[in-house]
Amino acid sequence: MSRFDRRAVLMGGASLALAAGVGPALAQAAPAFPGALGWAARTPGGRGGRIIRVTTLASDGPGSLRAAVAEKGPRIVVFEVGGVIDLDRRNIKINEPFLTIAGQTAPSPGITLIRGGVGVSTHDVVIRHIRVRPGEAGQAKKSGWECDALACDRAHDVIVDHCSLTWATDENLSASGPRFDGADPDAWRAATSRGITFSNNIVAEGLSNATHSKGEHSKGSLIHDNVTEALVVGNLYSHNRERNPLFKGGTEGVVTNNFIYDPGKRAVHYNLHAKEWGEHPFQRGRLAVVGNVVQAGPSTLDGLALFQLGGEGELELFARDNLGLDRTGAPLAVFGRFGDSTPGLIEATEAPVWPAGFKALSASAVKAAVLREAGARPWDRDAVDARIVREAAEGTGQIIDSEQEVGGYPAYAETRRAFREADWNLADMSPKRPEVLTAVE
């Protein structure tokens, strides 16, 4: 059974951990949820903590998502309401550790956040099955409304899984922090984000010529300088001009089993900016890029390479079983360079970093698996996600400048369903029966 099989999303069990390539010892070590992957796989999140019910679609106040995440101590956030939460340009900030946000518990159509984003600046956080769509939020072009859909900053042991992250005016999904906080490279890496898993998400339609002060800024994912133990796996990247994803200087991570459709200027790339490092000694990046599929689309520039290297310093790269196709179905170049510098490339014969026990799918199986399973609530996709997946399957669509080009913000009617603890395995927030996910009141 594939780790992308829908049953892995719905039900779970020991066999799912084995299907993900996780050996029996790790399978017994209580992953965050069935099929959790990466260095963060065994974070407890909010396991064992209080159940906090979200009962309103209001942006704040009693019963709101904002109030729930601000509580202290281990907690599991569940939803007794479904629909749209308008953040009104005030991001939700997660500063308290040991948190699970279980979007799978919401009644259809699930939870969609608009006109704002989510920031994680703590540790041991699991976020699943929510949609975040900042958009232009009514702001003028180049006005400085620069919003990530979901950003990890100085965070560690965080999993963002099966979420839909679109229409950001900065990155759709990122992991960052200070570059040089500390006396040496080990300290730098300890002070920024680390142990981050981005899995099975839709990361799409970063807005291009929108409200960012720099103008064009359609970006998928940024893994910032010196971030380590980053796993980017099973995601659909669609209609982002760059950063599909981008790993910056000194980063260490794995990019695997992603389907990257219609990248504009770059697909996967690495870049250490010398000016940003100043007098600090360059650190070698270490990446494994395995089993990904890149497919050009209407917005893709000619001559795109599946992986591109720019900037300064050195990169130790292990690249295997990646598939790239241009708009006619002809092969893309696997490797390319950009910029005027000539960073050193060290072609590794084995992965310089790799999550214990993880086994990648063959690239030949990736497109179908990702289109089937990526994004929030794949059993209950909303119209936006369904369109994005359809375009990736059919080779249509394009990079956009505004959410208004594709129908604007969703406006779903509020729905309600009581959360019943007896219906769920509270240790990992998997349903005891799949029909729980589609039940209505």
Side-chain angles (χ1 to χ4, degrees):
M1 179 170 57
S2 165
R3 64 183 170 84
F4 292 100
D5 192 288
R6 182 166 297 175
R7 287 169 291 178
V9 180
L10 301 183
M11 296 296 291
S15 62
L16 297 176
L18 295 173
V22 179
L26 288 180
Q28 295 169 6
F33 52 85
L37 298 170
W39 290 273
R42 286 173 283 171
T43 174
R47 181 184 294 136
R50 291 177 298 145
I51 301 293
I52 301 180
R53 290 167 165 82
V54 174
T55 58
T56 178
L57 296 176
S59 175
D60 55 18
S64 69
L65 175 60
R66 192 186 304 272
V69 303
E71 293 284 338
K72 296 182 182 296
R75 61 221 182 276
I76 300 170
V77 176
V78 301
F79 296 86
E80 296 191 327
V81 63
V84 177
I85 299 174
D86 186 344
L87 298 180
D88 194 23
R89 294 190 293 121
R90 292 184 299 123
N91 292 346
I92 288 179
K93 298 180 180 180
I94 299 173
N95 298 318
E96 293 294 330
F98 301 112
L99 169 68
T100 294
I101 297 177
Q104 64 269 30
T105 61
S108 182
I111 292 295
T112 300
L113 310 180
I114 65 170
R115 300 208 308 155
V118 177
V120 181
S121 298
T122 186
H123 60 88
D124 293 288
V125 174
V126 177
I127 303 175
R128 303 189 75 203
H129 296 291
I130 64 168
R131 309 180 188 102
V132 187
R133 297 181 174 141
E136 292 188 295
Q139 303 306 293
K141 300 289 186 182
K142 300 181 71 173
S143 62
W145 168 241
E146 300 171 4
C147 184
D148 284 6
L150 199 153
C152 299
D153 180 20
R154 290 180 183 256
H156 66 86
D157 296 289
V158 174
I159 302 176
V160 180
D161 176 76
H162 279 99
C163 291
S164 297
L165 308 158
T166 61
W167 304 346
T169 56
D170 203 347
E171 272 78 31
N172 277 316
L173 179 62
S174 65
S176 64
R179 293 183 178 92
F180 311 116
D181 193 350
D184 56 42
D186 287 342
W188 303 344
R189 288 168 169 165
T192 191
S193 290
R194 63 194 189 280
I196 305 291
T197 294
F198 295 154
S199 54
N200 308 304
N201 303 295
I202 291 176
V203 184
E205 295 185 334
L207 300 185
S208 186
N209 294 293
T211 59
H212 198 283
S213 59
K214 294 180 180 178
E216 198 293 314
H217 209 78
S218 173
K219 313 297 184 186
S221 290
L222 169 63
I223 311 300
H224 207 263
D225 298 84
N226 292 318
V227 169
T228 55
E229 297 183 338
L231 175 63
V232 180
V233 56
N235 304 286
L236 171 60
Y237 283 87
S238 187
H239 304 312
N240 304 298
R241 189 169 187 264
E242 293 185 296
R243 304 183 185 177
N244 293 288
L246 164 63
F247 278 68
K248 292 190 72 177
T251 47
E252 297 181 354
V254 175
V255 181
T256 181
N257 289 163
N258 302 284
F259 178 40
I260 302 164
Y261 170 64
D262 194 32
K265 187 177 181 181
R266 306 195 207 289
V268 186
H269 51 126
Y270 176 90
N271 192 1
L272 186 156
H273 285 282
K275 290 182 179 179
E276 295 173 344
W277 280 63
E279 299 300 316
H280 297 94
F282 297 160
Q283 297 301 298
R284 178 183 294 175
R286 304 168 75 210
L287 290 183
V289 180
V290 178
N292 300 283
V293 177
V294 175
Q295 182 176 321
S299 304
T300 304
L301 299 181
D302 292 338
L304 180 83
L306 187 146
F307 178 87
Q308 292 176 279
L309 175 61
E312 301 284 355
E314 293 181 332
L315 173 66
E316 187 177 355
L317 175 66
F318 178 80
R320 293 290 187 277
D321 188 35
N322 296 292
L323 175 63
L325 301 172
D326 70 12
R327 287 186 293 272
T328 70
L332 291 174
V334 174
F335 179 83
R337 291 181 180 268
F338 62 93
D340 298 327
S341 303
T342 56
L345 175 65
I346 301 167
E347 296 186 51
T349 57
E350 60 183 28
V353 289
W354 195 258
F358 173 72
K359 183 178 180 181
L361 284 176
S362 168
S364 62
V366 164
K367 179 177 177 179
V370 170
L371 292 181
R372 183 174 65 247
E373 296 301 340
R377 305 167 64 93
W379 65 90
D380 182 34
R381 282 184 173 133
D382 75 344
V384 176
D385 282 356
R387 172 185 57 78
I388 290 169
V389 170
R390 183 175 64 252
E391 290 174 353
E394 297 175 351
T396 58
Q398 62 184 353
I399 293 172
I400 61 173
D401 294 329
S402 172
E403 72 280 357
Q404 298 299 323
E405 297 175 26
V406 288
Y409 293 117
Y412 306 130
E414 179 181 301
T415 58
R416 291 194 170 272
R417 181 181 68 205
F419 174 79
R420 298 178 177 87
E421 294 186 19
D423 291 335
W424 298 84
N425 297 303
L426 299 182
D428 57 28
M429 292 312 299
S430 61
K432 292 181 178 178
R433 306 179 312 279
E435 57 267 26
V436 170
L437 294 163
T438 55
V440 295
E441 291 186 343

